[in-house]
Amino acid sequence: MQNKVLILDFGSQYTQLIARRVRELNIYCEIFPFNKIPKELNNYSSVILSGSPFSVRDKNSPKPDLIFILNNFPVLAVCYGAQLIAEQFGGLVAASNIREYGRANLSYINQDDLLFSSINIGSQVWMSHSDTIKDLPDSANLLASTDDVKNAAYKIKDKKIYALQFHPEVYHTTDGKKILENFLVNISNLKQDWTPDSFVDLTVESLKSKIGNDKVILGLSGGVDSTVAAVLLHKAIGDNLNCVFVNNGLLRKNEFQDVLNQYHGMNLNVKGIDYSDEFYSALKGIEDPELKRKTIGRVFIEAFDDESKKISNANWLAQGTIYPDVIESISATGGPSATIKSHHNVGGLPDFMKLSVVEPLKLLFKDEVRRVGASLGIDPKLLGRHPFPGPGLGIRILGDITREKVNILQEVDHIFIEGLKEWDLYDKVWQAGAMLLPVNSVGVMGDERTYEKCVALRAVESTDGMTADWVDLPYKFLQQISNKIINRVKGVNRVVYDISSKPPATIEWE
């Protein structure tokens, strides 16, 4: 695949948004950290440099050797990247006299240049920087300005090297997608042919070549990711795929049997195993959220190891890992971004488990997974299912985990989710769930004092889980759900609704 874009990550919070915007143009891209540039660059046709929390004036800021890239590829440098290129070509970057952050409007545009084709003066852009390009290199032509930022965009003469001080990838840059399209299609001459169908075809061929006649064991969760991974693998290797659904004791109410029933008729070889006792035993007394995640991941691996030994010639463990999982767990493929939390299906296998890992979806965002699933003919109701974390209710119970707490949260969650469906709100929410808090509060029921649990309801809207906003659910709905929970779930006397967005809060509480 040579019709693809290399995005070099300098640690910007927006790097993943660049990738999303590129893929929305039906062009494939990959993110690599600035300090791990691929040795084989012939597979790429264009390069984008991201922003960064660093200042180019800092002696410890990222300054990789980009000479080969700058001499051989069309390059679009964004924010920090624009300042880095300016400095390397002899320009001057200095601290800005004013805080250049937020909305701005283009007051000058060189509309003769392809990058700003069909972009008009007054177009809104988004600034996010404290340094500014005071003087452009002698070899640069000015392409755009705002009232406060003279050098908002420029081009290196006689080269396909473009730089933007603003962020074209964010929503607030109204013509950002068009600018990216101009660069990728009109300047870099990339084809817009990366579609769900093409992804399926390429992935199936790759899986056939990689796996051969070996058998694969896949852990199903009943969710979108593992289901799409299963159908994709089955298309590639047929009956050599062995699916296992593990009951970890942390599933939603009735979910173990419901999931097994859901796969009936899909021609998948699925086996359900009950490992709840092992999970509860391993989690006993553990309160730290990161340790809970790692413990759940370890027991999952032990369960799959036990099952793999029962299948001759099973040399592969398949996982439904997707891009946000990878980004949050290992900092954008090892780049300088901060690790948020570990995911149970990211990070490799222990030495004792003699299986290689195959992750056919690990470079896809959530919405892309759904589009691939539709291309594979998977039931839209299944594809529309809310995301559910791999560690299950284990990371929605703050503090230690017991069967009693799980039973309480299962009932609360069931009332909430079924209520969303009854009120025709389920499909308007990207993800919803309930959290059991490690606090008791005073209440009164039937003229008697109670001292029982508090639960928090969470509902967010998002496209891929990288960012999310809380959903403004109707007050009457929340009132009804609160009453049902308090009246029907013994042990709960208080319900609150979480109105935090991501960032700063994550979707899950742990």
Side-chain angles (χ1 to χ4, degrees):
M1 186 191 297
Q2 293 184 327
N3 190 68
K4 64 181 181 180
V5 179
L6 169 64
I7 300 173
L8 290 184
D9 177 23
F10 288 88
S12 170
Q13 61 178 319
Y14 298 137
T15 302
Q16 290 76 41
L17 281 179
I18 298 175
R20 286 195 45 74
R21 297 296 177 257
V22 173
R23 293 186 186 187
E24 286 172 2
L25 292 167
N26 293 328
I27 297 171
Y28 183 68
C29 61
E30 294 176 343
I31 298 174
F32 282 85
F34 73 90
N35 56 354
K36 293 184 180 179
I37 299 174
K39 294 181 179 179
E40 181 54 66
L41 292 172
N42 291 333
N43 292 329
Y44 301 95
S45 298
S46 186
V47 179
I48 298 178
L49 309 182
S50 83
S52 175
F54 294 98
S55 166
V56 295
R57 299 181 298 111
D58 187 340
K59 65 179 181 179
N60 296 319
S61 62
K63 294 183 179 178
D65 183 358
L66 299 175
I67 293 176
F68 181 82
I69 287 175
L70 296 175
N71 286 334
N72 291 278
F73 293 91
V75 174
L76 180 65
V78 176
C79 197
Y80 175 89
Q83 296 173 359
L84 179 65
I85 298 301
E87 185 182 72
Q88 291 192 357
F89 277 85
L92 175 63
V93 177
S96 177
N97 292 326
I98 61 173
R99 190 165 181 253
E100 297 173 345
Y101 181 86
R103 296 174 179 85
N105 297 95
L106 297 178
S107 56
Y108 164 76
I109 296 175
N110 182 345
Q111 293 176 317
D112 292 331
D113 192 277
L114 287 175
L115 188 66
F116 286 94
S117 175
S118 301
I119 310 299
N120 296 318
I121 290 176
S123 179
Q124 180 178 284
V125 297
W126 183 263
M127 296 288 185
S128 181
H129 58 99
S130 57
D131 289 342
T132 192
I133 302 170
K134 187 173 182 180
D135 297 320
L136 287 179
D138 292 337
S139 58
N141 288 329
L142 180 66
L143 296 184
S145 304
T146 70
D147 288 338
D148 293 325
V149 182
K150 178 182 178 181
N151 299 313
Y154 67 89
K155 177 186 182 296
I156 299 298
K157 300 174 184 176
D158 302 321
K159 291 181 181 292
K160 291 184 178 181
I161 299 176
Y162 291 81
L164 303 174
Q165 184 60 81
F166 57 87
H167 289 269
E169 68 274 21
V170 303
Y171 171 80
H172 298 294
T173 297
T174 51
D175 292 314
K177 188 173 180 179
K178 179 60 179 175
I179 293 172
L180 287 171
E181 182 179 12
N182 286 341
F183 172 71
L184 295 171
V185 178
N186 300 333
I187 295 171
S188 302
N189 299 315
L190 287 164
K191 298 177 181 177
Q192 295 174 276
D193 58 3
W194 192 69
T195 64
D197 287 344
S198 67
F199 173 82
V200 169
D201 292 340
L202 287 169
T203 304
V204 166
E205 289 305 311
S206 175
L207 291 170
K208 285 180 178 178
S209 175
K210 178 187 290 187
I211 296 170
N213 292 321
D214 290 350
K215 291 184 179 179
V216 177
I217 181 171
L218 167 67
L220 282 175
S221 69
V224 176
D225 304 334
S226 65
T227 299
V228 173
V231 175
L232 196 56
L233 279 159
H234 188 263
K235 187 176 178 68
I237 64 172
D239 291 339
N240 280 341
L241 174 66
N242 296 267
C243 300
V244 175
F245 179 45
V246 177
N247 180 10
N248 59 8
L250 304 170
L251 302 173
R252 284 174 162 160
K253 184 178 180 180
N254 302 325
E255 189 167 22
F256 184 57
Q257 193 56 52
D258 288 347
V259 167
L260 291 176
N261 293 340
Q262 149 183 303
Y263 290 112
H264 180 70
M266 293 182 68
N267 295 321
L268 294 177
N269 177 22
V270 183
K271 179 181 180 182
I273 58 173
D274 188 352
Y275 246 72
S276 55
D277 288 343
E278 287 82 352
F279 278 92
Y280 283 127
S281 177
L283 288 166
K284 185 176 182 179
I286 295 177
E287 297 185 5
D288 179 77
E290 193 67 4
L291 186 55
K292 283 199 288 187
R293 283 177 173 271
K294 291 180 178 179
T295 300
I296 291 168
R298 173 178 60 80
V299 181
F300 262 116
I301 292 297
E302 291 171 357
F304 288 127
D305 186 45
D306 289 344
E307 289 304 308
S308 67
K309 292 174 182 176
K310 302 174 185 177
I311 303 170
S312 61
N313 205 29
N315 297 321
W316 298 86
L317 173 67
Q319 298 184 142
T321 309
I322 64 173
Y323 215 8
D325 297 339
V326 175
I327 292 167
E328 288 193 342
S329 294
I330 56 175
S331 306
T333 62
S337 304
T339 298
I340 298 171
K341 55 194 175 186
S342 65
H343 287 258
H344 79 280
N345 57 345
V346 176
L349 296 175
D351 293 337
F352 70 79
M353 195 170 184
K354 307 303 180 183
L355 295 178
S356 299
V357 174
V358 58
E359 298 168 313
L361 307 177
K362 71 176 182 178
L363 293 179
L364 295 185
F365 290 100
K366 192 73 170 187
D367 55 320
E368 293 174 322
V369 174
R370 287 193 168 103
R371 290 200 293 271
V372 168
S375 177
L376 290 166
I378 297 174
D379 187 343
K381 289 184 179 180
L382 198 156
L383 294 176
R385 187 176 186 264
H386 287 183
F388 187 64
L393 300 181
I395 57 171
R396 292 183 177 178
I397 297 173
L398 280 66
D400 67 323
I401 297 170
T402 66
R403 289 183 185 271
E404 179 186 11
K405 291 180 180 180
V406 171
N407 290 336
I408 289 174
L409 190 55
Q410 283 178 334
E411 295 299 325
V412 172
D413 178 84
H414 182 72
I415 291 171
F416 185 31
I417 298 301
E418 291 305 306
L420 289 171
K421 293 176 180 177
E422 291 170 6
W423 279 65
D424 195 27
L425 293 169
Y426 185 83
D427 292 334
K428 299 174 184 176
V429 172
W430 190 76
Q431 183 171 345
M435 318 294 162
L436 183 65
L437 308 188
V439 294
N440 284 18
S441 66
V442 174
V444 58
M445 292 183 180
D447 297 326
E448 292 185 4
R449 178 184 183 276
T450 63
Y451 191 58
E452 296 179 332
K453 295 293 183 184
C454 174
V455 295
L457 307 182
R458 181 90 157 123
V460 300
E461 53 187 4
S462 179
T463 55
D464 53 32
M466 297 302 300
T467 60
D469 288 324
W470 61 278
V471 178
D472 189 5
L473 294 174
Y475 285 145
K476 288 187 177 180
F477 167 78
L478 291 172
Q479 180 185 51
Q480 182 186 97
I481 295 302
S482 175
N483 287 342
K484 282 187 177 181
I485 290 171
I486 292 172
N487 289 334
R488 299 182 184 182
V489 183
K490 187 177 180 180
V492 175
N493 69 354
R494 191 176 299 273
V495 177
V496 299
Y497 185 53
D498 183 349
I499 57 170
S500 309
S501 296
K502 177 185 180 181
T506 54
I507 295 175
E508 302 296 341
W509 279 38
E510 289 193 339

